């Protein structure tokens, strides 16, 4: 594992640990974050920790053409009184994601520094949010990085109503032309929607537009 100074480049992802940890340190500047995502690396750390950079193998991804929508979910999509938007309130979405309580996690990895960094990426057109509204109230959402190469790197989602985040995620996938959604690491929730593991080497080919 390499300890980074602010100007030090990332090591090759093949140097990551078995768990996927590649490097420690560095900053959350726009240039550093964009370099990371383009190399298949993402930050994930708690507030009391230094910046931790990850590149797991295998990589958990969703191919949009393999999206699974259950019969019950199709009915919810048809009948639920939701409005889905993009980039209407990025800061509200990432803030709500940071406040979401998750099973097995204490605190949040979406620190104030992370929020500030990703808002900068959003203002530059690299970070995107999806909002789900009901009666003009924000009830769910997700955000991630758009690399402008056909890959969307999902970062986090939240929900205040059952199935609302699925409504946002499914609507987003069905109305975009991405060739791959990077889900980073396994979750049962995303597996139920069709996400799967692929080798890191294969994932990196998509980032290079091969």
């Amino acid at each position: 594992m390499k300890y980074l100074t602010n100007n030090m480049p990332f090591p090759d992802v093949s140097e990551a640990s078995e768990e996927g940890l590649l490097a420690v340190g560095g900053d959350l500047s726009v240039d550093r974050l964009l370099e990371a995502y383009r190399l298949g690396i993402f930050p994930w750390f708690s507030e009391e920790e230094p910046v931790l950079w990850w590149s797991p193998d295998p990589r958990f991804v969703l191919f949009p053409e393999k999206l699974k929508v259950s019969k019950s979910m199709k009915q919810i999509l048809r009948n639920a009184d939701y409005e889905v938007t993009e980039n209407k309130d990025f800061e509200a979405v990432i803030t709500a994601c940071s406040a979401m309580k998750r099973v097995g996690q204490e605190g949040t990895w979406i620190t104030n520094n992370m929020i500030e960094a990703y808002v900068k990426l959003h203002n530059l057109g690299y970070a995107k949010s999806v909002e789900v509204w009901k009666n003009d109230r924000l009830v769910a959402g997700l955000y991630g990085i758009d690399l402008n190469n056909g890959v969307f790197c999902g970062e986090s989602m939240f929900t205040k109503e059952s199935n609302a985040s699925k409504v946002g995620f499914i609507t987003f996938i069905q109305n975009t032309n991405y060739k791959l959604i990077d889900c980073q690491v396994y979750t049962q929730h995303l597996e139920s929607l069709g996400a799967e593991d692929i080798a890191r080497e294969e994932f990196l080919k998509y980032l290079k537009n091969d």
Side-chain angles (χ1 to χ4, degrees):
M1 183 201 322
K2 182 167 285 187
Y3 288 84
L4 302 177
T5 63
N6 286 356
N7 297 318
M8 186 182 296
F10 287 107
D12 189 273
V13 294
S14 62
E15 297 181 33
S17 70
E18 186 176 348
E19 294 78 19
L21 181 59
L22 177 68
V24 177
D27 59 11
L28 294 173
S29 67
V30 166
D31 289 343
R32 170 71 78 182
L33 285 167
L34 290 178
E35 179 191 14
Y37 283 101
R38 288 167 179 155
L39 294 172
I41 302 164
F42 59 88
W44 186 26
F45 60 99
S46 299
E47 194 157 14
E48 69 278 3
E49 296 176 324
V51 183
L52 304 178
W53 301 96
W54 302 80
S55 185
D57 187 14
R59 191 77 165 220
F60 200 53
V61 305
L62 174 68
F63 295 98
E65 66 273 15
K66 294 184 178 182
L67 177 67
K68 295 178 182 177
V69 184
S70 67
K71 288 182 180 179
S72 60
M73 198 65 221
K74 287 178 181 177
Q75 186 173 359
I76 290 170
L77 288 163
R78 283 194 302 267
N79 300 332
D81 187 21
Y82 293 117
E83 178 190 5
V84 180
T85 60
E86 287 187 19
N87 294 325
K88 189 171 182 179
D89 198 337
F90 180 90
E91 194 161 353
V93 169
I94 191 171
T95 301
C97 286
S98 73
M100 187 81 176
K101 295 188 182 299
R102 305 177 195 275
V103 177
Q105 291 186 19
E106 295 182 10
T108 179
W109 59 271
I110 307 174
T111 63
N112 289 335
N113 288 342
M114 289 279 278
I115 292 174
E116 182 180 343
Y118 282 77
V119 168
K120 286 181 182 177
L121 287 174
H122 172 69
N123 291 337
L124 292 169
Y126 292 106
K128 177 181 289 187
S129 63
V130 176
E131 302 86 15
V132 183
W133 308 86
K134 188 171 184 178
N135 300 325
D136 295 323
R137 184 173 71 95
L138 185 64
V139 295
L142 63 98
Y143 77 95
I145 301 298
D146 187 339
L147 293 176
N148 298 314
N149 63 355
V151 175
F152 180 78
C153 301
E155 277 297 313
S156 187
M157 63 175 63
F158 81 96
T159 190
K160 296 178 180 178
E161 289 193 3
S162 178
N163 293 311
S165 63
K166 284 187 177 181
V167 169
F169 184 77
I170 291 169
T171 302
F172 173 62
I173 300 301
Q174 291 179 334
N175 289 281
T176 51
N177 295 312
Y178 294 110
K179 60 188 177 182
L180 185 71
I181 308 298
D182 175 26
C183 304
Q184 299 179 346
V185 295
Y186 173 85
T187 69
Q188 188 175 15
H189 173 68
L190 290 174
E191 183 185 43
S192 72
L193 293 169
E196 62 189 274
D197 280 330
I198 64 172
R200 181 173 57 208
E201 185 176 352
E202 182 181 352
F203 171 70
L204 294 177
K205 291 178 181 178
Y206 283 91
L207 294 181
K208 295 173 184 176
N209 246 338
D210 289 349

